[in-house]
Amino acid sequence: QVQLVESGGGLVQAGGSLRLSCAASGRTFSSRSMGWFRQAPGQEREFVAQISWSGGSTYYADSVKGRFTISRDNAKNTVYLQMNSLKPEDTAVYYCAADVTVVAGTPRVSGSWGQGTQVTVSS
């Protein structure tokens, strides 16, 4: 298992941008697909984006497609989530996860989770 630590959350106005980072420990990061999820107050955790182990394939939730970009730097054991054109409905705790696959449009996590980072978008 890898240990994951998210950072980069904060308060931003609607229309602004933030970049989240997820730093992973361990030497197996580069062989793992990774993903981002989020959970708003009173709601279930939902899928945001997934990236393959090489970075060559990505998959996004419809709600963020065209606004968010997931990427990774295997040399730095880090996965990123660039969030542009933020909306108040993007407000949530954002979680990084390891070993994320998307099968028939359904995301599945078989690895570890980070502790989350808060993103708040004001209107």
Side-chain angles (χ1 to χ4, degrees), residues 89-114:
E89 51 263 44
D90 294 318
T91 294
V93 177
Y94 282 71
Y95 297 90
C96 176
D99 301 317
V100 180
T101 55
V102 181
V103 179
T106 301
R108 298 175 181 175
V109 179
S110 55
S112 53
W113 292 86

Side-chain angles (χ1 to χ4, degrees), residues 15-108:
S17 298
L18 280 176
R19 188 177 82 155
L20 305 183
S21 299
C22 173
S25 65
R27 292 176 290 179
T28 61
F29 172 80
S30 61
S31 64
R32 298 175 183 270
S33 58
M34 301 292 295
W36 287 96
F37 292 74
R38 66 186 182 186
Q39 187 168 19
Q43 299 186 19
E44 294 186 353
R45 192 171 299 188
E46 66 173 4
F47 170 77
V48 174
Q50 181 259 5
I51 188 167
S52 63
W53 66 270
S54 67
S57 175
T58 56
Y59 187 83
Y60 296 92
D62 287 343
S63 59
V64 307
K65 203 171 294 182
R67 299 188 298 123
F68 291 11
T69 302
I70 189 171
S71 62
R72 66 190 298 160
D73 185 337
N74 285 344
K76 295 183 178 179
N77 276 17
T78 302
V79 62
Y80 304 98
L81 185 69
Q82 177 67 45
M83 305 185 294
N84 298 330
S85 302
L86 282 161
K87 305 175 181 180
E89 51 263 44
D90 294 318
T91 294
V93 177
Y94 282 71
Y95 297 90
C96 176
D99 301 317
V100 180
T101 55
V102 181
V103 179
T106 301
R108 298 175 181 175

